[in-house]
Amino acid sequence: MTLGELSGIGTLTLHRHTARVLHHDAPGPDRTEPALTSQDVIAGCPASGSVLVSPGDGPEARVQAQDILIPAIARTLVARIATDEQVGARLGPGVHAVRVNPELLDPWFAVSALTRAENATRAARTSTGTSGALRIDVKRLRLPVLPLDEQRRRSETLRRLTEWDTELLRLAETGHEVVQALTSALVDGRLDLSDV
């Protein structure tokens, strides 16, 4: 079923940033609060952006524990469980939160199922002007419907695979940075061939 269909029957709720305008007649002053950017979600970092909020804004646009965060635009389909450092931040523009009903869906099973290749094919289209990045229609993402005990049985292994994938990506980035630094040092003459 699609996330839009699952939202319609109460299996999960979908949340996103809603642009605010200044409310001069509001009961208190508007202010800015930390908000997650798409890059924060992709990198698993704390909130680096900010959004304007009004006193009447509800808590639903704040990241909660076990929220599945999805950037609306990214180079590949990305879905991540909110980190402890991200919980409490506001959703920034271009960041969606999928909040599952834990009595019906296991969040680690859901986040793994959302990032399958066939979901990128179904729910993404190439965005013009963003160098080939994908624009994700979150409501079109699909989740298989399995009994909760079966989801939970698979969940721990899926969580470990997700963490392993994240570590491999970080290792690849670090390796790339090391190669770039060595290349620069060799080209600039700060490093001799005998040092490599």
Side-chain angles (χ1 to χ4, degrees), residues 172-186 191:
E173 288 173 10
T174 301
H176 179 72
E177 290 169 6
V178 168
V179 169
Q180 292 297 314
L182 288 171
T183 300
S184 291
L186 279 168
L191 190 64

Side-chain angles (χ1 to χ4, degrees), residues 26-194:
D30 291 325
R31 65 189 184 289
T32 59
E33 289 188 10
L36 287 176
T37 66
S38 293
Q39 195 56 44
D40 297 335
V41 174
I42 293 166
C45 297
S48 66
S50 63
V51 292
L52 187 66
V53 295
S54 297
D57 287 350
E60 60 278 350
R62 285 190 189 277
V63 177
Q64 296 181 11
Q66 301 298 307
D67 275 0
I68 299 169
L69 304 173
I70 304 172
I73 298 177
R75 292 201 179 279
T76 61
L77 173 58
V78 175
R80 303 256 195 265
I81 298 284
T83 66
D84 292 341
E85 297 81 18
Q86 293 171 334
V87 171
R90 294 277 179 175
L91 294 171
V95 177
H96 296 270
V98 178
R99 200 163 290 151
V100 302
N101 178 340
E103 301 300 317
L104 301 171
L105 284 174
D106 180 275
W108 282 102
F109 175 82
V111 76
S112 298
L114 287 172
T115 56
R116 293 175 305 153
E118 53 267 30
N119 259 335
T121 304
R122 283 190 192 108
R125 61 183 168 82
T126 303
S127 180
T128 57
T130 54
S131 61
L134 300 176
R135 182 176 294 277
I136 308 300
D137 182 347
V138 173
K139 290 182 178 182
R140 292 183 61 198
L141 294 170
R142 297 184 76 78
L143 280 178
V145 180
L146 295 178
L148 184 59
D149 58 342
E150 185 63 23
Q151 293 178 47
R152 287 181 175 155
R153 194 171 73 76
R154 298 169 189 228
S155 178
E156 181 59 25
T157 301
L158 290 167
R159 183 186 64 78
R160 286 196 314 264
L161 284 170
T162 299
E163 290 171 351
W164 187 36
D165 184 50
T166 300
E167 287 305 312
L168 287 172
L169 289 171
R170 285 189 183 136
L171 182 61
E173 288 173 10
T174 301
H176 179 72
E177 290 169 6
V178 168
V179 169
Q180 292 297 314
L182 288 171
T183 300
S184 291
L186 279 168
V187 169
D188 294 345
R190 292 177 283 131
L191 190 64
D192 190 68
L193 286 175
S194 61

